[in-house]
Amino acid sequence: MCGRITQKSNAKKLGLGLASADHVVPGVAPPRYNGSPGQEHWVIREQPETHAYSLDRLWWGLIPHWCKDPQGDRKPINAKAETIASLPSFRDGYKKRRCLVPIDNFFEWKAIKGAYKQPYAIGMKSGAPFALAGIWENWKRPSTEEWVRTFTIITTEANDLMRPIHDRMPVIIGPADYARWLSPDEPDPRDLLRPYPAEPMTMWPISSRVNKPVDDDPEILDAVGI
DNA sequence: CCAGACGTTGTT
DNA sequence: GTCTGG
DNA sequence: CCAGACGTTGTT
DNA sequence: GTCTGG
């Protein structure tokens, strides 16, 4: 599963060669060294009309458009690849509002029976940013009429690298498939929702300092070993 | 018909 | 135990 | 995901 | 908004 990410590279790199974010005001988009659900993160989308790609900040935790009061309701941070095409909360987004979440790493906790959990960082051997598959939604806050944009990350079964620590992992989209995943002309690209090959990936144990959901502590860099 | 849910994970 | 907040 | 709280009243 | 359960 996937409940913590890093977006430490600059916006140019996190655009993955598809999108840029030069319109973003400096200072409003700090790097995420230990990013959590409930925070804003970089997300790449395709504009339906112009087919241009954009890199924007969306809230992690999907709020369906029909939701009255997300205070009381849950905001799913993950959606299962196996069921996303049919579940009421996800199927419209899956058809029409797919996105890529560009990251440097994600974290996973290995549950050790009767004991602590050991956090791990997972990334590419190359150190390059890569893309997770997501879907997003628009939601209008009734009190202020303001539009809120949220996303959720799709999960699938673990690959050989991750299976020792966890039975699920986020869906990773390779560069060759960016365009297909984002294209509104592909209503059901479910063949992309499979475990990513283990070979280009790497994984290492990190300090449990990352347990604390604080992502602006510079010392977190040591914890992650970056 | 209306009311109520709508999600995932892990752990017991 | 379960929910909210980061 | 984990950490931390775990409450009520009335008024804006 | 749409589906399930009573």
Side-chain angles (χ1 to χ4, degrees):
Chain A
M1 140 92 168
C2 182
R4 216 66 86 77
I5 60 176
T6 76
Q7 290 186 327
K8 68 183 182 67
S9 291
N10 59 39
K12 180 172 175 59
K13 285 184 180 172
L14 291 173
L16 302 177
L18 296 173
S20 62
D22 4 53
H23 59 287
V24 171
V25 179
V28 304
R32 298 293 189 202
Y33 298 114
N34 187 17
S36 306
Q39 293 180 308
E40 285 187 303
H41 302 277
W42 289 120
V43 165
I44 299 170
R45 298 175 294 163
E46 178 174 339
Q47 307 302 121
E49 312 82 17
T50 63
H51 294 277
Y53 297 114
S54 63
L55 179 66
D56 296 299
R57 304 281 282 184
L58 272 65
W59 295 95
W60 188 1
L62 195 82
I63 305 175
H65 69 94
W66 39 258
C67 189
K68 295 269 186 286
D69 176 23
Q71 283 298 97
D73 294 322
R74 307 306 270 150
K75 298 184 272 290
I77 65 170
N78 296 117
K80 294 180 72 170
E82 295 89 333
T83 50
I84 191 171
S86 58
L87 290 178
S89 294
F90 301 139
R91 59 188 173 197
D92 290 352
Y94 174 65
K95 264 187 286 194
K96 294 179 288 192
R97 284 177 302 279
R98 294 186 297 272
C99 61
L100 294 172
V101 185
I103 64 171
D104 293 284
N105 306 98
F106 64 91
F107 299 159
E108 205 71 68
W109 279 258
K110 177 179 184 171
I112 297 170
K113 210 186 299 178
Y116 61 95
K117 289 182 177 178
Q118 172 62 53
Y120 286 78
I122 297 98
M124 292 297 153
K125 284 176 185 167
S126 68
F130 58 105
L132 304 184
I135 60 174
W136 67 277
E137 286 287 347
N138 275 315
W139 179 74
K140 195 176 191 177
R141 177 170 282 130
S143 51
T144 61
E145 300 277 287
E146 113 201 73
W147 284 101
V148 179
R149 296 172 302 179
T150 63
F151 70 95
T152 191
I153 291 171
I154 303 172
T155 64
T156 186
E157 59 187 303
N159 65 13
D160 291 339
L161 176 77
M162 294 202 54
R163 198 167 300 114
I165 67 163
H166 212 73
D167 63 346
R168 306 285 298 173
M169 69 180 287
V171 171
I172 298 171
I173 305 289
D177 296 319
Y178 289 165
R180 260 196 77 210
W181 175 251
L182 292 173
S183 173
D185 300 329
E186 285 268 11
D188 190 13
R190 69 178 68 192
D191 58 296
L192 300 181
L193 301 182
R194 46 179 161 57
Y196 198 71
E199 192 282 324
M201 300 178 63
T202 184
M203 177 175 81
W204 66 97
I206 56 179
S207 164
S208 50
R209 187 194 307 266
V210 300
N211 290 2
K212 207 172 179 53
V214 170
D215 83 341
D216 56 358
D217 177 1
E219 292 189 34
I220 209 71
L221 294 174
D222 300 330
V224 179
I226 297 174

